[in-house]
Amino acid sequence: MSTENGTVRLSEAELGGALGERATLVQFSTAFCQPCRATRRVLAEVAGMVDGVAHVEVDAEERLELVRRLEILRTPTVLVLDAGGRVVRRAAGMPRKADVIAALGRVV
């Protein structure tokens, strides 16, 4: 994880998944989180609709160091990354599909 001008940038190695060509939806989840399942469906559906967008799910319990560095306080938490891996949007709780599409519209 690097920071430039206050902007956090994440790498594929840190996320454990490939970045999308245009944007990446990163979901921090835990095994027993009910809203995480619905969030997974919403993000996968949006990623499937928009070319060049990837969805990466991170198990918050397995990646505690990353969770602490990013100050993830609850699950699900969703980060929207641009093509370079920079965090451009962040939201906690289950997102609405329309909100995810709107956030991506500012990136792609």
Side-chain angles (χ1 to χ4, degrees), residues 8 13 24 29-30 52 62 74 76:
V8 175
T24 306
S29 301
T30 53
E62 289 182 4
R74 61 183 279 209

Side-chain angles (χ1 to χ4, degrees), residues 26-45:
V26 180
Q27 174 184 349
F28 285 86
S29 301
T30 53
F32 299 105
C33 166
Q34 280 293 91
C36 293
R37 294 180 187 137
T39 298
R40 180 183 307 119
R41 286 191 297 275
V42 168
L43 297 182
E45 186 176 337

Side-chain angles (χ1 to χ4, degrees), residues 3-18:
T3 306
E4 52 188 61
N5 300 330
T7 303
V8 175
R9 178 181 288 189
L10 299 171
S11 69
E12 292 181 345
E14 289 171 309
L15 295 175

Side-chain angles (χ1 to χ4, degrees), residues 2-88:
S2 64
T3 306
E4 52 188 61
N5 300 330
T7 303
V8 175
R9 178 181 288 189
L10 299 171
S11 69
E12 292 181 345
E14 289 171 309
L15 295 175
L19 294 174
E21 289 178 25
R22 298 170 69 197
T24 306
L25 301 170
V26 180
Q27 174 184 349
F28 285 86
S29 301
T30 53
F32 299 105
C33 166
Q34 280 293 91
C36 293
R37 294 180 187 137
T39 298
R40 180 183 307 119
R41 286 191 297 275
V42 168
L43 297 182
E45 186 176 337
V46 171
M49 291 170 35
V50 183
D51 287 339
V53 175
H55 171 223
V56 176
E57 189 168 0
V58 177
D59 184 324
E61 294 170 316
E62 289 182 4
R63 306 295 305 278
L64 282 176
E65 181 183 328
L66 183 59
V67 165
R68 288 182 184 122
R69 286 191 326 215
L70 292 171
E71 299 177 358
I72 305 293
L73 302 177
R74 61 183 279 209
T75 58
T77 291
V78 177
L79 306 178
V80 179
L81 310 183
D82 67 9
R86 287 179 295 276
V87 177
V88 294

